[in-house]
Amino acid sequence: MSVDPIPHDRLCAVPHLVVEDADAAIAFYREAFGAVETMRLVEPGGKIAHAEVRIGTAPVMLAEPYPELGFVGPRALAGTAVSFTLYVDDVDARFDRAVAAGASVRQAVRDEFYGDRCGQLSDPFGHLWTLATRIEDVSAEEMARRFARCFPSPDNA
């Protein structure tokens, strides 16, 4: 029997979030983003060593901090160096749902020049999420023109 070197559900980059109170994080992701928990490994003292959820078709791994191993969350860093983008059918409804579940608004939902309607949230654990719905297919050339209008350079202002 041969084993696939890449599991069928791991064909993409899989984020691994470090969160304080992973149980609460799983509950939040379920309520805010419709996550489905697929596994959980709990240490005898109750600390979640590893858990996995699925948001849409995307797997997301998470665990509580292990600073002795270099795994710390956004709160320990006083911020985060990454953010997540989640495409949804109705960004306004999903954004409102996430706020009702406890997310903080960083940027209200609005139409953007690149063809998405989106807004940005901070989850209660310090991770940043952009929720988006594609509202227009924009060619690379048109996107460059719109970008130049939004952010003119001194050469073409």
Side-chain angles (χ1 to χ4, degrees):
M1 180 169 87
S2 68
V3 174
D4 285 335
I6 302 172
H8 74 280
D9 62 346
R10 301 293 192 267
L11 298 174
C12 57
V14 179
H16 194 153
L17 307 180
V18 178
V19 294
E20 295 173 25
D21 194 353
D23 188 57
I26 292 167
F28 171 80
Y29 298 139
R30 182 182 306 113
E31 180 64 28
F33 305 137
V36 175
E37 184 175 341
T38 58
M39 77 167 298
R40 182 186 296 219
L41 301 173
V42 182
E43 291 184 3
K47 183 176 184 176
I48 295 179
H50 182 84
E52 295 185 14
V53 299
R54 199 165 275 290
I55 300 174
T57 60
V60 177
M61 299 176 183
L62 59 126
E64 299 199 36
Y66 284 86
E68 66 278 12
L69 300 175
F71 293 103
V72 296
R75 290 180 182 156
L77 299 172
T80 183
V82 298
S83 68
F84 301 91
T85 299
L86 178 62
Y87 279 89
V88 297
D89 288 333
D90 182 344
V91 68
D92 295 280
R94 187 65 69 92
F95 194 87
D96 291 345
R97 177 176 161 182
V99 171
S104 301
V105 176
R106 299 204 24 131
Q107 176 190 303
V109 175
R110 65 184 186 205
D111 295 350
E112 295 290 354
F113 71 90
Y114 43 84
D116 289 351
R117 179 166 175 74
C118 58
Q120 189 179 67
L121 304 162
S122 179
D123 73 26
F125 312 93
H127 295 285
L128 299 178
W129 296 81
T130 297
L131 303 186
T133 297
R134 177 64 42 91
I135 57 173
E136 177 186 13
D137 289 323
V138 179
S139 70
E141 296 80 15
E142 178 61 20
M143 192 177 305
R145 280 191 288 280
R146 292 178 184 184
F147 180 82
R149 285 195 306 267
C150 291
F151 304 100
S153 70
D155 298 336
N156 65 7

